[in-house]
Amino acid sequence: MHVAITMDGNGRWAQQRGKPRLYGHRVGAENAKVFIVEFTDPACETCAVFSPIVKRFMATYPEKIRLVVRYAPFHEGSSGAVRVLEAAKMQSRFWETLDLLYQNQQIWTQHHQVFMDRIWQLLPQAGLDLR
């Protein structure tokens, strides 16, 4: 049996039986019985705080958990940050870029509003080729 653990928009945990659909960005054990399905907005402060918690789960149980990340770009301008993440995926730098955006969120967002010009300045730190 597979179990997927999700968090709804109100911060409540939800449990789903059965294997979840695996579209989205994935990391972790291919044969995991536990899936964490994370709906994220790169401009969301709560998502940035939640990210290290998920990383700890993944580090503690590396052979037992599969993380699936899906976008939920609700904040103003966050669709631009999602496009950056999709471009980073094409350079195999998705996870590094997501971490960079979360760790530096206070630089490129203000009250959940995205300032794309500030994101561009950070991207070389993730190893992205901006040409």
Side-chain angles (χ1 to χ4, degrees), residues 2-131:
H2 293 87
V3 176
I5 301 169
T6 60
M7 181 177 276
D8 67 18
N10 296 316
R12 292 185 300 253
W13 293 101
Q15 186 171 331
Q16 168 189 332
R17 298 219 180 268
K19 196 170 185 175
R21 286 178 248 142
L22 292 180
Y23 61 86
H25 302 281
R26 299 173 299 279
V27 69
E30 290 283 337
N31 60 347
K33 300 267 190 227
V34 176
F35 289 75
I36 298 174
V37 181
E38 179 181 355
F39 292 85
T40 191
D41 181 338
C44 173
E45 292 174 13
T46 303
C47 295
V49 170
F50 187 66
S51 181
I53 295 167
V54 172
K55 281 184 161 192
R56 280 197 303 273
F57 283 142
M58 299 300 293
T60 303
Y61 305 103
E63 300 302 317
K64 297 182 179 185
I65 298 176
R66 183 105 167 127
L67 172 64
V68 180
V69 174
R70 298 181 186 157
Y71 300 121
F74 294 120
H75 297 296
E76 185 176 338
S78 61
S79 59
V82 167
R83 285 192 299 277
V84 165
L85 288 167
E86 285 300 298
K89 176 185 173 189
M90 290 191 289
Q91 295 184 34
S92 300
R93 306 299 292 172
F94 172 81
W95 297 105
E96 296 85 352
T97 304
L98 182 62
D99 287 344
L100 178 76
L101 291 179
Y102 281 151
Q103 291 166 6
N104 293 282
Q105 195 179 66
Q106 73 284 356
I107 293 172
W108 60 274
T109 65
Q110 187 173 22
H111 305 293
H112 302 287
Q113 183 178 354
V114 174
F115 295 91
M116 288 300 296
D117 58 322
R118 298 177 189 175
I119 289 179
W120 293 114
Q121 298 169 15
L122 296 170
L123 296 178
Q125 295 176 46
L128 291 176
D129 181 356
L130 301 181
R131 293 178 275 143

